[in-house]
């Protein structure tokens, strides 16, 4: 049997076909797109029709590659960018463009919510995480405050992957994993935090689909879509989930000890937990996962966006970037980079900027600045991993995904910075693969999602890196210095 996994992100949508018998991806397709142009700084939006068109196009391309085997398709799973706000009217139409996870225009709304409940600690007590601009809750309040005519039309709040499920099945719903990223749910009990909903609007609770188990299907593929795509009439659509939740499944991160680190435009580092993990400081998001467990996670907004900026600055190819970095010792001769080129989520600096600290006649070279950039973004992820360790997460292996994981020098830097074995995976499309695995588990219930994930996800042993011995540089001290500089500059309003 064949299962389609769809990863709908900010920059593109990818669809893959997973063969359950061979445990391999046998076809794939992708379609790129942009965010809406001309918006004010901090506003990042897309029309949901962009996603549905890309889903349709990539599914058709994959099915074309499958040929007659398209009749073997039994399930579809959706991975979607987290936190986006898709507002629907009473007839199910989209009221306005979706505000995306990377939209930072809602800082004022976060302050309003925090202040009403008595500060960050009180909010964390209610929902399990702090109120940050990327989350869905402040986006809803933003709509109410800035576009009251559109808010008056609001009948249903959906997240991006929920909207795609709705387009495929005609059914409205939310599963625990992605719903936990709204900052409207008490992640301990997996139920809506009614007083937070009521503060945003007394009628908001009735506009939120009831959250449900991530192991329960979203529904069946609509008959007209099955006919259009020449698929069987009994194709199941699994609950799907946020891209990080699906990435966890697609990287085998479904049991304690394994940690996934994504080196993409933004960065994430997350782990599986069988109980809620609540950070009193609010830096680790205590999400639920999409297997009915929990997924403590830290997100940073500047990873390959920073390394690519350095590469373009010096006019290098990727190979030239790596070669230059190899000429500089670990620690870049004490040149340290604060990588907040497009604001930051951890630490919470929505209007943050980048800083090089330690420039001298020796370190003001392209190679030093390139190494400091790569190390700086990795130190940001180390801070998140350190916070998770203090909360009881004990990593034995880091599984790298994202474009940055293709770099051998970056993999070694990760092993040295994290102080842990680092591996990559045979299949690089973690979120799409996770969505396909979840669809497989929804259709073939003899095994759990975790069991199917362990069966299918394979480590690429040839890419494995372990920490350099003896340790050439104290990266933990560098991380502490990065945190200290960030704190000092931000307190003075210089970031």
């Amino acid at each position: 049997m064949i299962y389609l996994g769809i990863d709908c992100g900010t920059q593109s949508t990818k669809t893959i076909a997973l063969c359950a018998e061979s445990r391999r991806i046998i076809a794939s397709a992708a379609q790129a797109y942009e965010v809406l142009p001309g918006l004010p700084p901090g506003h990042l939006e897309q029309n949901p029709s962009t996603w549905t068109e890309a889903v349709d196009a990539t599914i058709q391309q994959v099915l074309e590659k499958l040929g007659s085997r398209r009749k073997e398709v039994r399930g579809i799973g959706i991975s979607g960018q987290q936190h986006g706000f898709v507002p629907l009217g009473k007839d199910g139409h989209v009221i306005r463009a979706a505000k995306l996870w990377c939209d930072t225009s809602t800082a004022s709304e976060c302050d309003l919510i925090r202040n009403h409940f008595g500060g960050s600690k009180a909010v964390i007590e209610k929902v399990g995480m702090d109120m940050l601009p990327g989350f869905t809750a402040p986006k809803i309040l933003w709509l109410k405050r800035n576009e009251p005519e559109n808010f008056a039309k609001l009948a249903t709040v959906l997240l991006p992957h929920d909207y795609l499920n709705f387009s495929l099945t005609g059914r409205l719903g939310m599963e625990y994993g992605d719903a936990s990223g709204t900052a409207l749910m008490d992640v301990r009990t997996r139920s809506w935090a009614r007083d937070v909903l009521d503060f945003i609007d007394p009628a908001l609770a009735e506009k939120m689909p009831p959250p449900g188990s991530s192991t329960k299907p979203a529904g069946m593929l609509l008959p007209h879509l099955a006919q259009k795509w020449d698929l069987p009439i009994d194709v199941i659509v699994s609950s799907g989930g946020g891209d990080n939740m699906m990435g966890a499944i697609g990287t085998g991160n479904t049991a304690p000890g394994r940690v996934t680190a994504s080196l993409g435009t933004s960065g994430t580092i997350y782990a599986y937990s069988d109980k809620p993990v609540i950070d009193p400081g609010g830096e680790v998001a205590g999400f639920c996962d999409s297997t009915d467990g929990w997924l403590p996670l830290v997100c940073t907004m500047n990873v390959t966006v920073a390394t690519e900026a350095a590469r373009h600055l010096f006019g290098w190819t990727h190979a030239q970037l790596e070669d230059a970095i190899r000429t500089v010792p670990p620690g870049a001769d004490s040149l340290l980079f604060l990588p907040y080129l497009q604001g930051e989520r951890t630490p919470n600096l929505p209007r943050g900027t980048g800083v090089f600290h330690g420039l001298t006649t020796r370190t003001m070279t392209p190679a030093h600045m390139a190494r400091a950039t790569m190390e700086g973004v990795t130190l940001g992820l180390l801070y998140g991993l350190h916070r998770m360790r203090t909360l009881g997460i004990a990593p034995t292996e880091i599984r790298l995904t994202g474009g940055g994981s293709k770099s051998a020098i970056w993999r070694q830097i990760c092993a040295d910075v994290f102080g842990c074995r680092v591996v990559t995976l045979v299949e690089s499309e973690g979120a799409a693969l996770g969505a396909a695995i979840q669809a497989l588990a929804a259709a073939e219930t003899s095994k759990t999602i975790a069991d199917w994930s362990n069966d299918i996800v394979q480590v690429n042993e040839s890419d494995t890196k372990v920490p350099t011995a003896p340790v050439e540089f104290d990266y933990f001290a560098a991380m502490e210095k990065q945190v200290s500089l960030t704190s000092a500059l931000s307190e003075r309003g210089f970031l």
Side-chain angles (χ1 to χ4, degrees):
M1 297 294 102
I2 294 173
Y3 296 88
L4 304 184
I6 300 167
D7 178 24
C8 178
T10 314
Q11 298 176 313
S12 67
T13 287
K14 307 177 189 73
T15 295
I16 60 108
L18 171 69
C19 174
E21 287 72 31
S22 69
R23 310 290 204 261
R24 300 304 299 269
I25 294 175
I26 57 174
S28 64
Q31 180 166 304
Y33 39 74
E34 304 288 340
V35 297
L36 291 176
L39 298 178
H43 293 253
L44 288 160
E45 301 177 1
Q46 283 173 333
N47 287 317
S49 60
T50 299
W51 311 330
T52 54
E53 290 166 5
V55 166
D56 179 47
T58 55
I59 284 180
Q60 294 205 55
Q61 291 171 46
V62 165
L63 295 178
E64 183 72 20
K65 293 176 183 178
L66 292 178
S68 61
R69 292 197 69 186
R70 71 173 62 207
K71 294 297 185 181
E72 297 178 38
V73 172
R74 286 293 177 270
I76 299 173
I78 300 285
S79 164
Q81 48 183 300
Q82 283 190 254
H83 314 315
F85 171 34
V86 183
L88 298 188
K90 289 183 179 179
D91 59 357
H93 75 279
V94 176
I95 295 170
R96 72 176 311 279
K99 291 181 81 66
L100 305 181
W101 68 273
C102 44
D103 185 297
T104 58
S105 66
T106 59
S108 296
E109 283 71 28
C110 290
D111 289 340
L112 287 172
I113 297 170
R114 284 196 205 98
N115 292 340
H116 175 79
F117 289 106
S120 293
K121 289 185 177 180
V123 172
I124 293 167
E125 181 60 32
K126 288 183 178 299
V127 300
M129 62 196 79
D130 198 2
M131 193 64 57
L132 302 179
F135 294 159
T136 317
K139 294 177 173 62
I140 301 171
L141 183 56
W142 181 94
L143 184 69
K144 180 179 180 179
R145 297 180 70 220
N146 291 274
E147 298 179 1
E149 70 286 356
N150 282 330
F151 187 80
K153 302 174 187 175
L154 182 65
T156 305
V157 172
L158 291 182
L159 301 167
H161 107 266
D162 300 321
Y163 179 72
L164 291 175
N165 280 351
F166 175 58
S167 73
L168 294 179
T169 68
R171 296 177 62 183
L172 299 169
M174 280 193 184
E175 52 81 46
Y176 295 139
D178 214 2
S180 69
T182 62
L184 293 167
M185 171 185 280
D186 182 342
V187 299
R188 305 168 188 83
T189 61
R190 298 192 180 106
S191 59
W192 295 127
R194 185 61 189 252
D195 47 356
V196 180
L197 293 169
D198 287 346
F199 171 70
I200 294 173
D201 190 82
L204 183 57
E206 64 193 46
K207 300 173 184 180
M208 304 297 299
S213 170
S214 305
T215 66
K216 303 297 183 184
M220 304 300 294
L221 184 64
L222 289 166
H224 78 270
L225 292 177
Q227 182 178 27
K228 176 182 181 180
W229 294 330
D230 192 20
L231 292 175
I233 60 172
D234 58 349
V235 172
I236 196 170
V237 178
S238 66
S239 72
D243 50 4
N244 292 306
M245 291 76 186
M246 292 294 102
I249 296 170
T251 58
N253 188 350
T254 56
R258 293 173 184 165
V259 172
T260 301
S262 174
L263 307 180
T265 303
S266 60
T268 50
I269 190 160
Y270 49 86
Y272 173 85
S273 177
D274 56 9
K275 59 181 181 298
V277 177
I278 308 301
D279 181 3
E283 292 177 310
V284 176
F287 296 141
C288 304
D289 78 351
S290 289
T291 70
D292 288 357
W294 283 267
L295 192 78
L297 176 148
V298 170
C299 177
T300 63
M301 292 181 67
N302 300 272
V303 181
T304 61
V305 69
T307 57
E308 284 294 279
R311 186 175 70 83
H312 288 302
L313 177 63
F314 302 121
W316 290 334
T317 64
H318 287 98
Q320 288 171 325
L321 174 70
E322 291 204 33
D323 288 344
I325 288 172
R326 287 192 179 93
T327 68
V328 177
D333 293 317
S334 298
L335 181 61
L336 185 65
F337 182 51
L338 311 187
Y340 316 131
L341 299 185
Q342 52 182 15
E344 190 48 271
R345 177 161 155 178
T346 307
N348 183 25
L349 299 167
R351 298 179 183 88
T353 56
V355 174
F356 278 103
H357 182 272
L359 283 169
T360 67
T361 53
R362 180 183 184 187
T363 61
M364 196 169 175
T365 71
H368 278 84
M369 294 175 79
R371 176 145 198 145
T373 299
M374 188 171 283
E375 290 182 337
V377 299
T378 311
L379 290 174
L381 291 172
L382 172 62
Y383 178 75
L385 182 63
H386 171 63
R387 289 294 301 154
M388 290 166 65
R389 281 172 166 147
T390 64
L391 296 170
I393 301 299
T396 57
E397 180 180 89
I398 308 292
R399 297 189 164 198
L400 292 183
T401 65
S405 67
K406 298 175 183 177
S407 165
I409 186 65
W410 204 342
R411 293 195 297 272
Q412 186 60 61
I413 287 173
C414 284
D416 292 338
V417 169
F418 298 147
C420 193
R421 165 184 155 99
V422 165
V423 303
T424 63
L425 302 162
V426 171
E427 301 291 357
S428 61
E429 298 296 345
L433 178 59
I437 291 171
Q438 191 198 59
L440 167 58
E444 302 187 26
T445 57
S446 58
K447 295 181 182 179
T448 65
I449 297 172
D451 289 338
W452 281 115
S453 177
N454 286 331
D455 284 351
I456 292 170
V457 177
Q458 300 177 47
V459 169
N460 191 345
E461 296 290 351
S462 63
D463 283 350
T464 298
K465 300 291 184 182
V466 295
T468 304
V471 176
E472 298 181 55
F473 181 74
D474 189 346
Y475 279 114
F476 190 83
M479 180 268 289
E480 291 183 312
K481 183 177 180 180
Q482 186 186 66
V483 170
S484 180
L485 281 168
T486 297
S487 177
L489 290 170
S490 61
E491 285 175 4
R492 296 289 301 277
F494 295 152
L495 272 184

